[in-house]
Amino acid sequence: MIAETGHFALVLAFAVALLQTVLPQIGAYRQDARLMAVGVPAAQAQFLLVLLSFAALTAAFVTSDFSVYAVAQHSHSAKPLLYKITGVWGNHEGSMLLWILILSVFGAAVATFGRDLPDSLRARVLSVQALIGVAFLAFLLFTSNPFTRLDPAPIDGGGLNPLLQDPALAFHPPFLYMGYVGFSMAFSFAVAALLEGKVDPGWARWVRPWTLAAWMALTLGIAMGSWWAYYELGWGGWWFWDPVENASLMPWLVGTALLHSAIVVEKRGALKSWTILLAIFAFSLSLIGTFLVRSGVLTSVHAFATDPERGLVILFILAFFIGGALTLYAWRAPQLKGGGLFAPVSRESALVLNNLFLAAATVAVFVGTLYPLGLDALTGEKISVGPPFFNMTFVPIVLPLLLLVPLGPLLAWKRSDIYPVLQRLFVAAGLAILTIIAVAAFYSEGPWLAPIGLGLAAWLVFGAFSDIAYRVKAFKAPARESLRRMRHLPRAVWGSTLAHAGVGIMVAGIVGISAWRVESVAAMTTGEVLEVGGYEIMLATVGAYEGPNFRAEKAEFIAMKNGREIARLRPEKRVYPVQNMPTTEAAIYTAWVSDLYVVLGDRRGENEWTVRAYVNPLVPWIWIGSVIMVLGGAVSLSDRRYRLGIPFARRKAPVAAEGTAS
């Protein structure tokens, strides 16, 4: 009965989503308050029904109910409880249900906390959000029902892909989906604004927190996926330019541009049409990512389905929303009034440049990702687009963007003078130059561009805090005055500073592993020593053991530096009997400024194994920087202006509000 309850809840959610799509939209058109008000309880009811359905599927996985097809295909009685739970979204049907659950969470959140929105705008936003829900609920019910029964039920299940049985990847999809689906709110606000024919600073204040929340989740999801690939796949790298990796990067880039563009709409009333377009494209690229992993066009551990028919349905959904939104944009965008003018040297201009570079970078990734797939589909010719292409296209676009990042926050709105801004960045520039000189002296044998890369990282970090130093009058005012100013700085300023500094720290990590990585491969017997990057690692023992649902060979290495033991590393090579699939569990010793990374390879003889060892300088900083970026976003999101949007009092007194705004 649990599965049937979940299925029935999905059917009811579909019916409620239909009502939520139609009635509030009619109400907004007729200015009928009663019909517009239907959107709020409908969105809340849709969330509760989808949550009930998701809970039912989770119960089926936890209790190993193999009469449910999804459980039989993707779970096993011997799996640890954690992976029984995460197996709910480790498959196509369950992951789509999670996708819809998160969609309903965002809709219910706007319904519950968006009481200060204009009634017609809120009604239209909830209607568009429900329309997305209708499409994907229909897709789930008619093509990918997660509650399909098996008769007779198998004794045991097929198990979850062993590569997915990992804590980092277990929680990677929910965060990734929160990012993907979170951009649906920006999309819904954009379409609602086009229907209303109005984009104003109040609209931007409401779009920014939802976009920021989605951006934070997507940043964390991408970072967790990168970390998983680093230690689980045994290759010692952090990014491979895999098409599915790129599918997550593209909406992140556009979402970053949207965050900055919305600031201009809020502060100056400019870039309205462009911001609407970015909101449409951010979610559109999320839909493209959904299509890639479910259409069968990719063979990847990231892919949830290989059914072209279901992929075709998603393609129709994608075409409907992207094509419909762009058609509406072409019709209504010319009616949006432009904002104030600004000089070539101003904060607005800096944010426009930021958007142009991010858009160009997105196009580079888009072409490199989809061109091989399109060529294969049209001609059958298979080509590979890998790191060399992206290094020659993406990197040259991003570098000038990073150089300009510290300048933006220091520029004034409307018109600014570049020379005072450069003076405020004098200390940051000096520290960046000192970094270049020091690194070049330490690594005198090259590569020669690496010191410049670390200098750029220093420029980003110190440049970010230059804005804080200028605002608090550091070293110019008394210390007590500077501290007082620091306490009263808006949280959004601290958040922006942390996010930009996090980018700098991440850049340092990327430069370190790219420039100075050391690798050593050898066939070793117990007692032998392998030297790699100033470390000596001795293979002490190799033994077998049985895990809960796998068999493993586990080695123990003694890591030494300058003759002194610093760590014991225990890499594993596992085999999961149900799928007859091997996995690699790397062992990593982190010294915060570098990683010693050891992988146990195949057995070559009675007492000999292939061993690969890497020293990856600064690589932990990639994920430290990512976490700092997310922390910066969280600090900004805690700013009262983000949480409140348009104060309720202003809605109650429109005349006063207009007077205040003027």
Side-chain angles (χ1 to χ4, degrees):
M1 281 298 294
I2 292 179
E4 284 69 28
T5 300
H7 185 208
F8 186 59
L10 272 185
V11 174
L12 288 178
F14 177 71
V16 170
L18 279 173
L19 291 174
Q20 185 185 334
T21 300
V22 176
L23 296 182
Q25 196 67 252
I26 294 174
Y29 179 76
R30 296 179 177 177
Q31 289 300 298
D32 186 326
R34 291 175 300 174
L35 289 179
M36 286 191 288
V38 169
V40 173
Q44 294 167 337
Q46 185 191 156
F47 160 65
L48 292 174
L49 288 167
V50 177
L51 179 63
L52 175 61
S53 180
F54 188 82
L57 186 62
T58 303
F61 270 85
V62 170
T63 59
S64 296
D65 182 358
F66 298 119
S67 68
V68 176
Y69 177 80
V71 180
Q73 288 291 107
H74 303 287
S75 190
H76 192 275
S77 58
K79 274 201 317 183
L81 178 61
L82 172 65
Y83 301 124
K84 287 183 179 180
I85 296 172
T86 59
V88 176
W89 54 80
N91 60 89
H92 167 69
E93 293 83 3
S95 67
M96 282 308 306
L97 182 55
L98 176 64
W99 205 99
I100 294 168
L101 174 63
I102 295 172
L103 184 74
S104 68
V105 166
F106 276 94
V110 169
T112 304
F113 302 110
R115 61 185 183 277
D116 298 337
L117 278 167
D119 292 335
S120 61
L121 178 62
R122 181 173 65 172
R124 287 191 164 108
V125 168
L126 293 176
S127 174
V128 176
Q129 191 77 358
L131 181 60
I132 301 170
V134 166
F136 283 97
L137 280 164
F139 172 75
L140 198 64
L141 287 169
F142 297 118
T143 73
S144 309
N145 186 356
F147 299 103
T148 300
R149 288 284 194 181
L150 283 176
D151 187 20
I155 297 174
D156 217 329
L160 181 66
N161 186 332
L163 289 174
L164 305 182
Q165 296 185 40
D166 179 87
L169 204 67
F171 298 103
H172 158 70
F175 283 107
L176 208 60
Y177 290 178
M178 286 175 65
Y180 280 161
V181 182
F183 286 130
S184 68
M185 282 315 315
F187 178 88
S188 296
F189 270 97
V191 172
L194 290 173
L195 293 171
E196 292 256 309
K198 179 182 177 183
V199 176
D200 57 17
W203 176 88
R205 279 196 294 272
W206 274 101
V207 167
R208 284 179 65 197
W210 299 110
T211 303
L212 181 57
W215 180 89
M216 289 165 52
L218 188 56
T219 303
L220 192 57
I222 293 173
M224 292 177 74
S226 170
W227 168 239
W228 166 81
Y230 175 68
Y231 73 78
E232 177 68 23
L233 299 183
W235 64 306
W238 65 281
W239 192 264
F240 192 65
W241 293 107
D242 177 276
V244 180
E245 291 177 335
N246 298 347
S248 64
L249 178 61
M250 288 187 287
W252 185 89
L253 291 169
V254 175
T256 304
L258 174 60
L259 276 175
H260 291 84
S261 179
I263 297 173
V264 182
V265 178
E266 180 184 350
K267 299 294 185 182
R268 297 281 297 137
L271 303 185
K272 294 178 181 179
S273 294
W274 174 248
T275 304
I276 291 286
L277 193 61
L278 287 175
I280 293 172
F281 276 127
F283 184 57
S284 298
L285 289 168
S286 297
L287 290 177
I288 289 173
T290 302
F291 168 74
L292 286 176
V293 299
R294 290 175 170 83
S295 60
V297 299
L298 293 178
T299 301
S300 168
V301 67
H302 303 88
F304 282 112
T306 57
D307 185 349
E309 292 183 2
R310 287 190 291 194
L312 189 62
V313 175
I314 295 178
L315 188 60
F316 280 127
I317 294 173
L318 187 151
F320 172 78
F321 283 105
I322 297 177
L326 291 179
T327 301
L328 181 62
Y329 175 81
W331 175 37
R332 299 300 296 263
Q335 301 175 23
L336 299 178
K337 294 181 180 180
L341 300 176
F342 49 88
V345 179
S346 63
R347 188 176 297 190
E348 293 97 323
S349 294
L351 291 171
V352 168
L353 278 176
N354 161 286
N355 274 223
L356 291 175
F357 281 122
L358 287 169
T362 305
V363 170
V365 178
F366 185 87
V367 171
T369 302
L370 294 187
Y371 176 74
L373 301 176
L375 187 66
D376 183 21
L378 293 174
T379 68
E381 182 181 352
K382 296 186 182 295
I383 64 171
S384 176
V385 174
F389 170 83
F390 294 103
N391 290 339
M392 290 193 306
T393 56
F394 181 82
V395 174
I397 295 171
V398 170
L399 286 178
L401 169 64
L402 296 178
L403 281 171
L404 292 172
V405 165
L407 293 170
L410 293 169
L411 292 169
W413 293 104
K414 192 174 181 179
R415 182 184 300 276
S416 188
D417 190 346
I418 192 64
Y419 298 108
V421 172
L422 293 177
Q423 287 176 342
R424 293 168 201 155
L425 289 168
F426 179 78
V427 174
L431 291 171
I433 292 170
L434 286 176
T435 300
I436 294 172
I437 295 171
V439 174
F442 190 78
Y443 291 99
S444 57
E445 297 181 359
W448 298 111
L449 290 178
I452 297 175
L454 286 187
L456 175 61
W459 165 251
L460 287 164
V461 173
F462 295 122
F465 285 98
S466 294
D467 183 32
I468 298 288
Y470 171 70
R471 288 171 179 266
V472 303
K473 294 186 176 181
F475 306 111
K476 293 183 179 179
R480 180 174 295 179
E481 172 66 12
S482 294
L483 288 173
R484 186 191 66 80
R485 287 173 170 267
M486 195 176 293
R487 285 196 300 270
H488 289 88
L489 279 178
R491 293 182 187 177
V493 173
W494 284 107
S496 173
T497 298
L498 285 173
H500 289 168
V503 173
I505 293 170
M506 184 177 67
V507 167
I510 294 170
V511 171
I513 188 173
S514 302
W516 297 300
R517 181 183 187 183
V518 179
E519 178 183 0
S520 185
V521 182
M524 298 181 67
T525 59
T526 53
E528 286 190 339
V529 175
L530 175 65
E531 294 185 3
V532 55
Y535 293 92
E536 304 89 38
I537 56 171
M538 184 181 74
L539 178 56
T541 60
V542 179
Y545 79 97
E546 292 282 339
N549 60 335
F550 61 83
R551 298 188 304 269
E553 281 189 329
K554 185 175 185 178
E556 181 175 272
F557 289 86
I558 299 175
M560 296 171 287
K561 193 164 189 178
N562 300 322
R564 182 176 61 87
E565 180 181 331
I566 57 172
R568 296 202 172 216
L569 304 176
R570 299 176 179 88
E572 299 181 20
K573 193 169 185 65
R574 295 179 178 177
V575 175
Y576 290 76
V578 173
Q579 297 87 358
N580 193 27
M581 182 175 177
T583 65
T584 299
E585 304 292 323
I588 304 171
Y589 168 72
T590 297
W592 299 111
V593 293
S594 68
D595 276 358
L596 173 61
Y597 184 106
V598 181
V599 178
L600 180 68
D602 296 327
R603 182 190 289 266
R604 294 170 57 93
E606 182 65 27
N607 190 33
E608 188 177 54
W609 291 265
T610 300
V611 176
R612 285 181 292 123
Y614 305 90
V615 173
N616 295 326
L618 300 183
V619 71
W621 293 16
I622 295 174
W623 301 290
I624 293 172
S626 300
V627 171
I628 291 174
M629 290 164 63
V630 174
L631 178 62
V635 172
S636 291
L637 199 58
S638 70
D639 193 307
R640 185 174 181 272
R641 295 171 299 173
Y642 271 102
R643 288 184 282 110
L644 293 183
I646 306 170
F648 185 76
R650 295 188 182 182
R651 286 193 62 212
K652 291 300 183 181
V655 176
E658 291 173 6
T660 304
S662 62

